[in-house]
């Protein structure tokens, strides 16, 4: 069986530590699980890029008290407070030189589940397209729900620190899950077994699956790379060093799918560029050499040709419109944004959006004859409604606080938005998609953060997370907005319905 990467410390406790050097403390207590170079073994990488979510004294607290339901023990009786502080500071120091993680390292990291046995049909009787996955981050697990009965079909372990949306194969059979330290897990939902996993980077932002289910694109912070894997066997097909036109390295802040263009679209965090990487058999010849002596486009020797679009300012987060032609990009400053036309490769409009719009969680629908998009703002208590043709901000809806996620369904008249930040974090606000008025505020559990809405495939039910250690998934009738059930869960951060996510 594959050993699961779920710990954050040594599996072996040693005698009382008397070492003062934090590097020596690491070698004595941490190296067995996290590796000589802190890049991870059976435990996650211990690098500033992967520990960023542990704020304040959270890292010290983890070392001192351990982590429940993992192999991470308590070092309370092994290390004193000064040693814990010094070790924590050491773990947050960047590696010098920066580590290398390319084709060779990715290939060598591949782990196959020798016990995996494929099946011809699901081992369960639920509708395969109405299955919902609930990512529970407290103990790094996923619960698989029947979308009709809400019965838990199975619960399986994931890599440490799951990040971003799981991605489903076009038939809904396989799901691909990424951890923040770059592990990609392939799980067979029919057989309810892990197939394999591979490490595509050391600190990764998100993954995207091609529309045909053949290729996985991986956006990395560390190293500064963009990787493409085979979705079949997780073998690396391409690893591209990410650099600006001046040669300066850049992280990749996000990668999304432009299915109609058969391409992946990337935003570069440290240089004003958008990359488009084509995976289809006949990519457009924008930016590629074309020989007039050859009938049709010149053949591309690179199976994943890259096109670079230079923009006037950095793009932190973005949203692709339903035609896959326009990129709506947010500025890292939180003030304004821009619209880039992928066909012509130029900016065509500015966005009048302040307060750091979280475009990546935007929702689109028809409002009369218009197509509109709604985005929450991370720094202002607003939801902005943008006309997807004129790019004008039609309305800003005042909320109880800043939100993080929006969600709707084609069969629902409502947009559901959480109030993620501030004293009203326990609220979910419901907006009528035609009048753009708030019609109801739900509070699933007083004082507990409520976030991330997902619908069943038919849109009849909406699932809301209570984002706490001993949390729950609360199920609502999406028409009457009445609660009908709640399922206890361990910090259920994200929920993903197979059919809905395939159609997104």
């Amino acid at each position: 069986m594959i050993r699961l990467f779920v710990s954050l410390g040594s599996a072996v406790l040693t005698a009382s530590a008397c070492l003062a050097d934090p590097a020596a403390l690491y070698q004595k207590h941490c190296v067995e699980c996290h590796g000589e170079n802190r890049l991870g073994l059976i435990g996650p990488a211990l690098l500033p890029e992967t520990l960023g979510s542990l704020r304040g004294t959270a890292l010290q607290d983890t070392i001192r008290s351990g982590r429940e339901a993992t192999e991470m023990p308590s070092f309370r009786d092994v290390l004193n407070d000064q040693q814990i502080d010094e070790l924590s500071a050491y773990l947050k120091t960047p590696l010098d030189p920066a580590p290398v993680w390319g084709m060779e390292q990715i290939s060598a990291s591949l782990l196959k589940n020798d016990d995996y046995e494929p099946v011809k049909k699901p081992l369960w009787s639920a509708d395969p397209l109405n299955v919902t996955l609930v990512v529970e981050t407290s103990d790094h697990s996923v619960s698989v729900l029947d979308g009709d009965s809400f019965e838990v079909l199975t619960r399986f372990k994931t890599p440490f620190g799951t990040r971003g949306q799981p991605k489903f194969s076009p038939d809904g059979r396989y799901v691909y899950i990424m951890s923040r330290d770059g592990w990609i897990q392939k799980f067979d939902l029919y057989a309810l077994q892990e197939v394999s996993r591979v490490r595509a980077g050391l600190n990764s932002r998100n993954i995207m699956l091609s529309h045909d289910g053949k290729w996985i694109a991986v956006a990395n912070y560390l190293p500064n790379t963009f990787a493409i894997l085979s979705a079949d066997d997780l073998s690396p097909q391409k690893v591209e060093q990410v650099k600006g036109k001046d040669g300066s390295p850049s992280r990749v802040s996000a990668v999304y799918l432009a299915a109609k263009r058969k391409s992946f679209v990337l935003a570069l965090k440290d240089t004003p560029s958008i990359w488009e990487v084509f995976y289809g058999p006949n990519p457009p010849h924008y930016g590629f050499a074309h020989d007039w002596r050859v009938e049709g486009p010149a053949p591309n020797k690179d199976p994943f040709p890259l096109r670079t679009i230079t923009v006037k300012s950095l793009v932190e987060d973005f949203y692709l419109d339903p035609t896959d032609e326009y990129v709506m990009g947010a500025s890292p400053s939180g003030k304004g944004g821009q619209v880039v036309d992928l066909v012509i490769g130029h900016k065509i409009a500015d966005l009048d959006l302040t307060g750091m719009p979280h475009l990546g969680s935007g929702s689109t629908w028809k409002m009369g004859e218009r197509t509109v998009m709604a985005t929450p703002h991370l720094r202002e208590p607003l939801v902005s409604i943008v006309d997807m043709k004129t790019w004008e901000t039609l309305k800003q809806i005042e909320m109880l606080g800043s939100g993080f996620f929006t969600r709707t369904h084609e069969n629902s008249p409502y947009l559901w938005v959480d109030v993620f930040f501030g004293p009203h974090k326990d609220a979910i606000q419901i907006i009528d998609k035609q009048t753009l008025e708030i019609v109801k505020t739900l509070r699933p559990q007083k004082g507990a953060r409520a976030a991330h809405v997902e619908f069943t495939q038919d849109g009849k039910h909406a699932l809301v997370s209570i984002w706490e250690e001993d949390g729950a998934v609360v199920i609502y009738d999406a028409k009457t907005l009445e609660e009908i059930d709640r399922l206890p869960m361990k910090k259920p951060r994200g929920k993903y319905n197979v059919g809905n996510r395939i159609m997104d």
Side-chain angles (χ1 to χ4, degrees):
M1 287 291 294
I2 296 172
R3 298 184 72 187
L4 298 179
F5 293 73
V6 296
S7 72
L8 187 60
S10 174
V12 179
L13 289 175
T14 60
S16 179
C18 59
L19 299 170
D21 177 14
L25 290 176
Y26 177 85
Q27 291 297 319
K28 186 175 180 64
H29 299 288
C30 311
V31 70
E32 181 177 347
C33 287
H34 301 283
E36 293 284 347
N37 49 15
R38 293 161 47 202
L39 297 182
L41 284 174
I42 66 168
L46 297 181
L47 304 170
E49 294 85 358
T50 57
L51 297 173
S53 62
L54 298 178
R55 299 178 180 177
T57 63
L59 180 55
Q60 291 96 315
D61 295 341
T62 300
I63 296 171
R64 182 176 293 107
S65 303
R67 187 180 286 273
E68 185 181 356
T70 75
E71 296 175 34
M72 173 64 185
S74 166
F75 284 87
R76 186 186 310 277
D77 299 326
V78 179
L79 302 174
N80 61 40
D81 288 346
Q82 180 180 347
Q83 290 169 326
I84 290 174
D85 288 343
E86 291 174 350
L87 179 57
S88 298
Y90 171 72
L91 298 179
K92 291 186 176 182
T93 303
L95 293 180
D96 187 18
V100 174
W101 202 261
M103 295 279 283
E104 180 181 351
Q105 290 78 13
I106 296 173
S107 297
S109 72
L110 179 65
L111 296 170
K112 296 182 179 179
N113 183 3
D114 294 332
D115 294 333
Y116 169 63
E117 295 183 4
V119 296
K120 293 183 178 180
K121 60 181 182 179
L123 298 177
W124 31 269
S125 59
D127 178 352
L129 295 182
N130 196 27
V131 165
T132 297
L133 270 61
V134 182
V135 177
E136 298 178 76
T137 58
S138 179
D139 60 353
H140 317 291
S141 299
V142 165
S143 288
V144 182
L145 302 182
D146 180 333
D148 294 309
S149 68
F150 302 111
E151 172 192 359
V152 177
L153 302 176
T154 193
R155 193 170 188 268
F156 64 90
K157 290 293 185 180
T158 68
F160 177 88
T162 298
R163 184 170 195 161
Q165 293 184 21
K167 297 299 181 289
F168 299 97
S169 59
D171 60 1
R173 173 168 189 156
Y174 299 105
V175 61
Y176 302 86
I177 298 172
M178 187 201 79
S179 74
R180 61 173 172 258
D181 57 355
W183 284 96
I184 313 297
Q185 176 188 38
K186 181 177 181 178
F187 190 89
D188 185 341
L189 290 171
Y190 285 14
L192 299 180
Q193 285 185 296
E194 179 172 333
V195 180
S196 55
R197 65 176 68 186
V198 73
R199 194 173 191 181
L202 302 176
N203 180 241
S204 301
R205 294 295 292 173
N206 70 317
I207 59 173
M208 192 57 60
L209 187 67
S210 61
H211 80 287
D212 55 10
K214 292 182 178 180
W215 314 111
I216 304 169
V218 188
N220 290 321
Y221 259 24
L222 182 72
N224 299 140
T225 59
F226 166 72
I228 295 181
L229 312 177
S230 165
D232 181 33
D233 60 9
L234 301 186
S235 61
Q237 305 297 304
K238 181 174 184 174
V239 178
E240 184 81 24
Q241 294 291 325
V242 181
K243 297 180 179 180
K245 284 194 171 182
D246 61 358
S248 59
S250 176
R251 294 164 290 176
V252 181
S253 58
V255 57
Y256 292 108
L257 174 67
K260 296 179 177 65
R261 297 174 60 80
K262 297 181 177 61
S263 69
F264 299 113
V265 181
L266 296 77
L268 274 55
K269 187 173 182 66
D270 305 305
T271 188
S273 294
I274 291 174
W275 279 14
E276 186 173 20
V277 180
F278 297 93
Y279 61 81
N282 297 300
H285 64 272
Y286 307 116
F288 307 135
H290 180 75
D291 191 335
W292 61 271
R293 295 167 295 181
V294 179
E295 291 186 7
N300 291 296
K301 294 182 180 180
D302 185 346
F304 304 104
L306 166 66
R307 174 194 184 205
T308 299
I309 300 173
T310 301
V311 291
K312 293 187 179 297
S313 59
L314 293 172
V315 174
E316 172 69 18
D317 185 26
F318 68 92
Y319 183 86
L320 274 167
D321 86 310
T323 69
D324 288 341
E325 181 177 339
Y326 302 103
V327 172
M328 301 172 65
S331 168
S333 69
K335 298 178 180 179
Q338 58 189 305
V339 181
V340 177
D341 187 326
L342 290 176
V343 173
I344 63 175
H346 292 292
K347 186 186 86 168
I348 61 166
D350 291 307
L351 293 171
D352 182 19
L353 298 172
T354 60
M356 187 55 78
H358 190 208
L359 297 176
S361 73
S363 297
T364 302
W365 68 90
K366 278 282 191 181
M367 193 176 76
E369 296 300 315
R370 285 174 163 157
T371 298
V372 300
M373 190 272 273
T375 179
H377 293 248
L378 301 178
R379 299 177 186 168
E380 292 183 355
L382 298 171
V383 167
S384 290
I385 309 297
V386 179
D387 187 307
M388 298 293 282
K389 185 174 181 180
T390 67
W391 310 111
E392 296 176 283
T393 300
L394 299 176
K395 184 175 181 178
Q396 290 191 316
I397 305 169
E398 293 188 8
M399 309 292 287
L400 290 174
S402 299
F404 203 88
F405 299 105
T406 72
R407 193 67 174 158
T408 190
H409 190 281
E410 62 179 358
N411 295 334
S412 172
Y414 303 122
L415 174 74
W416 296 55
V417 186
D418 55 50
V419 181
F420 197 84
F421 304 100
H424 296 283
K425 65 181 182 180
D426 58 354
I428 299 286
Q429 298 200 274
I430 313 299
I431 299 171
D432 186 292
K433 292 194 298 188
Q434 300 306 312
T435 67
L436 303 183
E437 299 293 333
I438 297 173
V439 296
K440 192 165 186 177
T441 296
L442 304 173
R443 296 185 185 269
Q445 182 173 316
K446 186 177 181 180
R449 175 172 281 115
H452 197 274
V453 177
E454 178 61 302
F455 289 84
T456 51
Q457 188 192 16
D458 56 13
K460 290 183 179 179
H461 297 100
L463 284 63
V464 177
S465 288
I466 297 176
W467 240 14
E468 304 291 340
E469 189 74 24
D470 293 317
V473 169
V474 184
I475 303 166
Y476 288 90
D477 183 306
K479 184 177 181 180
T480 66
L481 308 181
E482 297 297 322
E483 179 182 334
I484 62 171
D485 200 0
R486 60 177 59 202
L487 311 174
M489 296 280 176
K490 303 291 286 185
K491 198 173 283 187
R493 293 207 171 185
K495 301 163 298 306
Y496 308 92
N497 179 269
V498 174
N500 290 342
R501 298 296 168 164
I502 289 172
M503 295 302 295
D504 276 355

